[in-house]
Amino acid sequence: MKSAKKDLLGIEELSTDEIGFILDTADSMKEISLRDIKKVPTLRGKTVVHFFHEPSTRTKTSFEIAAKRLSADAVSISASTSSIVKGETLIDTARNLEAMNPDVVVIRHQASGSAQMIANRIRASVINAGDGMHAHPTQALLDMMTVREKKKTLSGLKIVIAGDIAHSRVARSNIIGFTRMGSDVVVAGPPTMIPMDIESVGATVTYSIEDAARKADVIMILRIQKERMDDFLFPSNREYASFFGLTHKAVSKARKNVVIMHPGPINRGVEIPPEIADGSRSVILDQVENGVAVRMAVLYLLIGGSRHASDN
Amino acid sequence: MKSAKKDLLGIEELSTDEIGFILDTADSMKEISLRDIKKVPTLRGKTVVHFFHEPSTRTKTSFEIAAKRLSADAVSISASTSSIVKGETLIDTARNLEAMNPDVVVIRHQASGSAQMIANRIRASVINAGDGMHAHPTQALLDMMTVREKKKTLSGLKIVIAGDIAHSRVARSNIIGFTRMGSDVVVAGPPTMIPMDIESVGATVTYSIEDAARKADVIMILRIQKERMDDFLFPSNREYASFFGLTHKAVSKARKNVVIMHPGPINRGVEIPPEIADGSRSVILDQVENGVAVRMAVLYLLIGGSRHASDN
Amino acid sequence: MKSAKKDLLGIEELSTDEIGFILDTADSMKEISLRDIKKVPTLRGKTVVHFFHEPSTRTKTSFEIAAKRLSADAVSISASTSSIVKGETLIDTARNLEAMNPDVVVIRHQASGSAQMIANRIRASVINAGDGMHAHPTQALLDMMTVREKKKTLSGLKIVIAGDIAHSRVARSNIIGFTRMGSDVVVAGPPTMIPMDIESVGATVTYSIEDAARKADVIMILRIQKERMDDFLFPSNREYASFFGLTHKAVSKARKNVVIMHPGPINRGVEIPPEIADGSRSVILDQVENGVAVRMAVLYLLIGGSRHASDN
């Protein structure tokens, strides 16, 4: 990756070997965050621009901390303070940022394809931190890192992803990533929330989370987005939870040492009961911790090596 | 403190010796900000997260400058850009931040007790930068530092705190702090703004600022919060000023070298006349300057020593 | 400049030699941003406060990147998170910032004269990053740098500035700057957008951009501010574009190697056709790149030398 790729836009562009190499690198990076002095000079003098068009605590903070622990200079732009409010197009904003000679632009944007569009037009590396319903590759990488940490392998595992699959960039990136690494992915959710062509990317479809959970090694429950609940006419949180939330019964059908995941932020008592979120099988906070490590690895692999110096 | 305490949540948890040690440390830190190169490597590789739920110029900027002058990595999260807007609970947000391995979380929040609640749940040090009407310990420390600087001691001084005592975390922390250090604290304000049990914490109560000011060494006038004035049915700023603001007559009854303080931001002509705020007895800007020094001291004492490496 | 001036408030305060020296310094600074390690230790331990009261991508980001590439500690305050919302006056906010011992305060504010007002009251250096309709000196410096880069000189060039001259701080600072450096400045725009006394500062006035463009070396087209279009009763963008936007016909009348400039953000198809903005004569992105270099130069010249250590 270090000598080959300019950007990280989606999991589909990564080979099995490349994913494995990123996860190995992230394992080493994780150790840095556990030191007393959590900082290495690796990216000193590099400029990372965080360009976030949607509210985000964990992803934005995770990237900022990752950049700073590698000694990069981090600059943040949010939509509300940017020239976007003056009517500038996204491409013009990106080209203007580019002119300031950043090494990486990390972008989150509500439009699917926005990260690709920008990556095509600027020389700097682009990391997709979530574009519409399309992709969120660092989330998939941190999820794979977390599962690999607990299960020692990704190959042959049964991974259940449950919830609003159709509108979730997290689901889409994870289905592609886990499938590529040899896992069997089963998606579960109400029919309106399962996209028509999902089996073509290698996932099996069920409409019952309890059926899906049978002998699962991992259950990843997605966040229900409240603003979308209105569209689907759920009369209440309680109804959603009882039909499509994670239940104790579902967990009981999984393997004994099943790993429970959630990309956060969680709606306690809606898609996940608090005692499961906080229980011993939950790795939700490991996911967050590994997020910093994965972002350090991606930043390092994209701009820390010799590619930039020679090719760019 | 360095080897004993994880958090700074309130003044009441500090002994006389501990307060004295923080103020001594702050005196040394102040010197750094007067150098040509205002930076020491003390907290290099430490991560400080500033998590502010209320608007703030001076406290947030003061903490950020303090962290940077000690070479820490500073990351900021404000409520409007955080997952709070997605409905996540405060505790979940805090636990997620924790998972990114920060050394300190500095929190300001409108709910009394929020800092304590978070400190109980995360391993990182927590500094309370103001929680509801409860406490604002670094403000009290910078106020004590400023008075000690001018008066050489805190013992035996008459400290008047005037204004809306009942709703002020600044008043509460200062009453506890100055009393503990041997000062005599007199509070003054309209009866509706004096809490019932205030004498139990060691303060004397008056309802006239001019009576209170007699032979005072220090007069600290609190900010009147305009949004609260409506609740108390003051017909105008002018009326508030004439009854409960700081007057020249009050100042004239104090000791000749009385020190005039205000935690800021000031409402000129409401609780304090401009010529007093800008006069030679005013130490309002010294308070701001000492704020940076006190925050450097607290950051250093909480995470700069060996406690973290060994106990955490 | 290094040993003489405290602030950069407007171009009018700079001599021909001083402008030349800033541009020479900016040329050297530009090279730093092209290195693999884009960082020098020049301003290590200096504190730069960015105090922005208006939305801004490029100027704020440009200053932040400039400060970080010089290793200064950069702190940002925006109006929405500042004590301004609590009713504090601008001067009080500035004096409070001052008390935290910054080396530079970079200010953008909607009130003309605000930067000067603050500079008069604080010891720290003040850089005006745009005050109302008054001045935007770093924009004029980056524009002069860009033209000098392309034309090798500023002397004897014909510079056309077109658009809403009356309300543009960019126009005002550029007219003064280019005139001082020996260029001939011609302004073009509808009569309601040309100030009465503009000829007194050395500019020639026309009401037709095509007349103005004849034999021009540089055409700088200003941004039309949509909120102002209502005031002037333009029925549509299209009408504005056809009467007062930059046209191919205007460009054809200029010198063959005319340089096309725009301070950004651009309104594509309103004041500038996309094919001109993106064409080979456009230096719009050079302007952005040079903006970082000019700000590095100004920061360095104001606080990097020995003036602060000895005089302040």
Side-chain angles (χ1 to χ4, degrees), chain A residues 106-120:
Chain A
V106 178
I107 181 168
R108 166 166 290 192
H109 194 278
Q110 65 278 6
S112 301
S114 48
Q116 176 76 64
M117 187 174 71
I118 286 172
N120 291 349

Side-chain angles (χ1 to χ4, degrees), chain B residues 54 109-114 128 130-135 167-169:
Chain B
E54 292 183 339
H109 195 277
Q110 64 278 7
S112 301
S114 48
N128 183 1
D131 63 326
M133 300 177 200
H134 172 244
H167 300 92
S168 170
R169 57 196 176 204

Side-chain angles (χ1 to χ4, degrees), chain C residues 171-185:
Chain C
R172 201 176 160 284
S173 287
N174 267 314
I175 292 167
I176 296 168
F178 278 101
T179 302
R180 183 150 303 176
M181 298 308 281
S183 305
D184 295 317
V185 177

Side-chain angles (χ1 to χ4, degrees), chain A residues 33-34 36-39 55-58 61-62 64-65 68-69 223 265-266 268 278 285 288-289 292, chain B residues 44-47 73-75 77 81-83 85-86 88 92 95-97 99-103 308-309:
Chain A
S33 293
L34 300 173
D36 198 40
I37 296 183
K38 293 175 253 297
K39 199 174 183 91
S56 162
T57 298
R58 93 199 49 216
T61 307
S62 181
E64 284 186 11
I65 288 177
K68 289 181 179 189
R69 289 194 179 150
R223 179 182 155 68
I266 64 175
R268 292 178 166 272
D278 303 330
L285 296 176
V288 177
E289 182 173 14
V292 175
Chain B
R44 199 179 151 272
K46 303 292 187 183
T47 305
D73 289 326
V75 176
I77 299 169
T81 61
S82 86
S83 288
V85 302
K86 295 188 187 168
E88 191 178 45
D92 279 331
R95 293 174 69 202
N96 274 283
L97 290 176
M100 298 181 200
N101 293 299
D103 296 277
H308 248 60

